[in-house]
Amino acid sequence: MKKIALLGDSIRMNYAPEVIRLLGDEYEVISPEDNCRFCTYLQRMVFDMSNELDGCDVIHFNSGEWDVSDVVGDGLFTPEDVYVRTVIRIAEFLKTKAKTVIFATSTPVTTHPQNNNADIQRYNAAVVPQLRERGIVINDLWTLVDEKREENIRSDDGIHLTDRGIGLCSRAVAQLIKSFE
């Protein structure tokens, strides 16, 4: 049985149940019930789950939507350099726990008062090359969701996935995980 971990923010929480279903009984999937929110929160969550993560075959993680939020109107929640440095630290730690580590890019938004796509793309572009250099596999959910953004992002909040978006991301995550058998 393959041991898999799914870590990350509410976007991960949207697709995790369907990924677990798609992977089936041949996979043991661990995933925190808690929203891992922003990158430093995820870093703490990874530390807290350290023993559970031992021996994973694949760890798939994401962080970013909270990090690029301008919640109070005074700038993004996590400065870009802190985001990149923290995500790299998380990835390096996860490499000690799993054979394969996958990072999912942050997905686009439609109309969201605190997040905008230019910031999301900038943060994705800043972290992805550095993760690739370190042997982290990239799951480009941005491009996948962006192709039909209006159909894949909920109109009521402009950030979370619709049923269509959940299905699209779930299939992509499960297929990528299965490709490492």
Side-chain angles (χ1 to χ4, degrees):
M1 180 177 290
K2 298 275 187 176
K3 183 176 178 183
I4 309 299
L6 299 173
L7 308 171
D9 61 24
S10 59
I11 304 304
R12 177 268 312 169
M13 294 176 76
N14 282 174
Y15 60 69
E18 182 63 9
V19 169
I20 292 167
R21 188 190 72 72
L22 290 169
L23 290 175
D25 295 336
E26 298 169 22
Y27 294 83
E28 172 194 0
V29 181
I30 59 173
S31 191
E33 291 182 26
D34 195 9
N35 183 333
C36 296
R37 300 178 178 99
F38 44 92
C39 64
T40 53
Y41 193 93
L42 173 60
Q43 185 178 27
R44 175 56 195 254
M45 181 71 68
V46 166
F47 173 79
D48 289 345
M49 293 181 67
S50 181
N51 291 336
E52 291 176 75
L53 296 172
D54 283 338
C56 279
D57 293 288
V58 177
I59 297 175
H60 186 284
F61 80 106
N62 78 296
S63 186
E65 297 292 351
W66 285 58
D67 298 286
V68 300
S69 291
D70 184 2
V71 179
V72 294
D74 67 348
L76 301 184
F77 187 81
T78 306
E80 184 178 327
D81 63 322
V82 173
Y83 174 76
V84 171
R85 189 170 54 248
T86 304
V87 170
I88 288 169
R89 288 182 72 195
I90 293 166
E92 290 291 350
F93 179 76
L94 294 177
K95 284 172 47 179
T96 70
K97 302 292 181 179
K99 296 174 187 170
T100 302
V101 177
I102 302 169
F103 177 77
T105 56
S106 295
T107 53
V109 297
T110 53
T111 54
H112 191 269
Q114 292 127 1
N115 291 45
N116 74 68
N117 289 318
D119 292 328
I120 297 169
Q121 286 182 297
R122 190 174 79 249
Y123 275 48
N124 281 340
V127 76
V128 164
Q130 294 195 46
L131 290 171
R132 277 195 177 120
E133 286 176 12
R134 290 164 171 81
I136 305 302
V137 177
I138 304 301
N139 191 355
D140 186 8
L141 295 184
W142 165 277
T143 300
L144 187 67
V145 170
D146 190 50
E147 188 173 312
K148 292 189 177 183
R149 187 185 303 172
E150 299 297 326
E151 295 177 33
N152 294 324
I153 305 293
R154 289 180 14 199
S155 60
D156 63 335
D157 72 4
I159 196 167
H160 291 99
L161 301 171
T162 61
D163 288 345
R164 182 188 190 287
I166 290 169
L168 193 65
C169 289
S170 299
R171 287 187 298 277
V173 171
Q175 287 171 351
L176 186 56
I177 289 170
K178 285 182 174 185
S179 75
F180 290 98
E181 292 184 352

